[in-house]
Amino acid sequence: MSGIVHLVGAGPGDPGLLTVRAVELIGKADVILYDRLIPPTALDHAREDAELIYVGKQGDGPQFPQEETERLLLEHARAGRRVVRLKGGDPFVFGRGGEEALACREAGIPFEVVPGVTAGVAASAYAGIPVTHRDLASGVAFVTGHEDPRKPESALDWPALAAFPGTLVFYMGVRALPRIAERLVAGGRPATEPVAVVERGTMPGQRTVLGTLADIAERAQGIRAPAITLVGPVAALREQLAWLEQRPLYGRTVAVTRARAQASALAARLRALGAEVVEAPAIRIRSLEVAKPDLSRYDLVCVTSPNGAERLLDLLRDARELAGITVAAIGPGTARALRARGVEPDVVPSRAVAEGLVDALREVRVGRALIARASEGRDVLPDALRERGAEVELLGLYETVAEPLDGATAEAAAAADYVTFTSASTVRFFLAAAGALDGPRIASIGPATSAALREAGFEPGLEADPHTPDGLVAALVADAAARARA
Ligand code: SAH
């Protein structure tokens, strides 16, 4: 059986700009031939047993020969495999996708094309520049700025380009920028025409330089590939439309130390606010073998974390086993996790800490309580309930263990503006793995985490209130704003 080749665009770099179809095909592929300029997380969607082959090219640097890429494509497809050829941006826009499709056609291999968000449009949009505009540009041209330097004659018709009635977007033109500007002016574009150069569009560290044809070469000297150059009156709209840089955490790097499984939601929220996120998980949650509890013996069940909620419900036949029992949850995330499994918690304290739950239960008569939680944990809640005469049993559902932190990640975390801690265990395990924590400002989710920090000799720069991931994000935003004003 013959395989198939999918020529797939991976978008310009922001993982959020991968298409749904691209993610789906990456997840099904037997073999993925990928380029350098794909989003860093794109391959996370691949099957564990997929073969991943790097076939990237880097400007004038090391080149993986195109013929070799095409040979591999055909070879794997002939062997009956499902092949994804994953390219930055769009596969048919300066991506040599056309050549690869032709090679498939010639070889009789079926292929499909999945368009991607191309850099010329995406980097412009992230820089606050619409490539067309009703009054300013009625067309847009994608142009290569990289010409074969061995060719004596330029392949580009510069007078025609200069006369083009619309926006010009140059790909691969960083080194040729002075020549591009010169030739456009020579061809009749006004030297005052606005120009924007966008480096690393949609990626962390995106940088934009605005100028005119007269001065852009000078201004953009520090710019490195990948970058697009956009020529036309629309470029000046950036002065009013720049939005990326306005986001509250723009330009800040935030390290997230919580377990990988729980980090993604927090990381996504931080990224949406403009932060660059370093995922540096210090802990991992390991489920423990636990016998099914006989809930009929209790009148109160306390759940202290989203993890505990999920693990507890996993043990039960279904939510009805909690009928008639008061269910208390610490934190809105825990309450959400219960609701997702069909359990509406009766008590959710406004303060998301054990002390908050102790207060909230003041009026509740408790005979026998079960506390579903991590195997190790603070004694505040059981002690307080026992003091009130309740019988308390602890159900340790999972334990928190160290996640090894590699050197590069530890370094990136140490260089961040903020390091966030969402539990005492993230503090202990992160410090054990990373050693010190001198540069970044330390963000703590609440008093128990702050206490662990102080015990280790570190003073949190900020503490969230409410003591939830949302509260932590809000505290970071407030702190960043205060420091920007200072
Ligand atoms: N097929 C790709 C283009 C590949 S050519 C697409 O559709 O986007 C490589 C060139 O694309 C780079 O030299 C640069 O000019 C541009 N490019 C790719 N990613 C970019 C990014 N994130 N920001 C700015 N330019 C980018």
Side-chain angles (χ1 to χ4, degrees):
M1 200 198 83
S2 162
I4 181 164
V5 170
H6 298 278
L7 298 167
V8 180
D14 178 345
L17 297 178
L18 266 173
T19 64
V20 174
R21 180 72 174 143
V23 170
E24 180 188 341
L25 289 171
I26 291 168
K28 285 186 180 158
D30 299 309
V31 182
I32 301 178
L33 300 170
Y34 65 98
D35 280 351
R36 192 171 54 92
L37 287 179
I38 60 170
T41 54
L43 296 174
D44 295 354
H45 304 286
R47 272 173 19 213
E48 209 135 283
D49 61 339
E51 189 179 340
L52 308 179
I53 308 173
Y54 175 72
V55 295
K57 305 182 183 68
Q58 179 163 21
D60 295 328
Q63 306 274 327
F64 193 91
Q66 179 67 20
E67 312 76 64
E68 182 61 9
T69 301
E70 288 173 22
R71 195 187 62 72
L72 283 171
L73 270 182
L74 301 181
E75 178 187 298
H76 285 291
R78 282 201 187 101
R81 304 201 178 103
R82 186 188 270 276
V83 184
V84 162
R85 172 73 180 99
L86 193 61
K87 295 163 166 294
D90 181 277
F92 277 6
V93 179
F94 303 124
R96 307 193 76 163
E99 286 150 81
E100 290 167 19
L102 281 170
C104 291
R105 172 78 0 119
E106 260 167 47
I109 303 281
F111 65 90
E112 279 182 24
V113 185
V114 180
V117 181
T118 189
V121 171
S124 307
Y126 274 45
I129 303 172
V131 290
T132 71
H133 182 277
R134 217 178 144 76
D135 304 322
L136 300 174
S138 47
V140 52
F142 295 149
V143 186
T144 175
H146 180 77
E147 294 186 274
D148 191 336
R150 287 160 303 188
K151 270 195 238 158
E153 288 299 301
S154 172
L156 292 173
D157 181 344
W158 287 99
L161 277 178
F164 177 75
T167 308
L168 301 173
V169 180
F170 290 90
Y171 288 65
M172 301 169 282
V174 173
R175 289 199 309 135
L177 190 56
R179 200 168 38 120
I180 290 171
E182 216 170 89
R183 298 209 175 171
L184 288 175
V185 173
R189 284 241 167 180
T192 53
E193 178 124 321
V195 182
V197 181
V198 188
E199 177 189 272
R200 295 176 59 79
T202 81
M203 300 191 245
Q206 166 174 332
R207 200 151 59 115
T208 304
V209 176
L210 199 58
T212 63
L213 281 175
D215 65 10
I216 194 66
E218 173 82 35
R219 283 173 185 254
Q221 268 175 14
I223 294 281
R224 301 279 167 271
I228 55 119
T229 300
L230 183 145
V231 180
V234 287
L237 285 175
R238 168 174 166 75
E239 281 169 349
Q240 295 154 69
L241 298 184
W243 55 271
L244 196 80
E245 296 84 351
Q246 315 276 327
R247 293 176 307 166
L249 293 178
Y250 172 77
R252 317 284 166 147
T253 307
V254 182
V256 173
T257 58
R258 70 194 326 209
R260 201 178 295 283
Q262 292 150 8
S264 55
L266 177 59
R269 247 175 297 171
L270 292 169
R271 285 196 186 101
L273 293 167
E276 187 173 330
V277 175
V278 177
E279 292 191 32
I283 59 169
R284 191 161 47 83
I285 307 293
R286 189 156 67 196
S287 296
L288 297 171
E289 289 286 326
V290 189
K292 182 172 185 294
D294 176 7
L295 292 187
S296 66
R297 302 168 54 231
Y298 305 99
D299 49 17
L300 171 71
V301 169
C302 300
V303 189
T304 63
S305 70
N307 233 317
E310 267 163 43
R311 293 282 301 127
L312 177 66
L313 270 297
D314 284 346
L315 288 176
L316 306 183
R317 186 167 45 88
D318 65 35
R320 284 173 297 181
E321 290 191 33
L322 285 161
I325 302 171
T326 301
V327 176
I330 299 180
T334 308
R336 264 198 304 277
L338 286 169
R339 283 186 200 113
R341 302 289 290 265
V343 178
E344 181 59 41
D346 302 289
V347 184
V348 184
S350 54
R351 279 198 313 137
V353 283
E355 288 80 355
L357 185 54
V358 171
D359 281 348
L361 288 173
R362 205 159 292 274
E363 305 294 310
V364 179
R365 283 177 46 92
V366 182
R368 203 159 180 172
L370 181 72
I371 303 179
R373 57 171 224 182
S375 60
E376 74 282 17
R378 296 193 308 142
D379 294 327
V380 174
L381 180 59
D383 285 354
L385 290 175
R386 284 189 185 116
E387 218 163 275
R388 284 185 216 159
E391 239 178 276
V392 178
E393 281 168 42
L394 300 177
L395 180 65
L397 291 168
Y398 60 91
E399 62 182 348
T400 307
V401 297
E403 175 87 273
L405 198 63
D406 65 71
T409 308
E411 236 171 75
D417 297 302
Y418 295 96
V419 178
T420 60
F421 293 101
T422 47
S423 66
S425 56
T426 58
V427 172
R428 279 198 306 276
F429 288 115
F430 181 85
L431 290 175
L437 186 56
D438 297 326
R441 238 166 123 65
I442 299 174
S444 156
I445 198 166
T449 303
S450 298
L453 280 161
R454 291 193 185 103
E455 203 171 299
F458 296 96
E459 183 58 30
L462 53 118
E463 184 181 283
D465 187 10
H467 317 307
T468 61
D470 279 339
L472 186 58
V473 170
L476 282 170
V477 167
D479 191 75
R483 291 167 79 77
R485 276 195 304 274

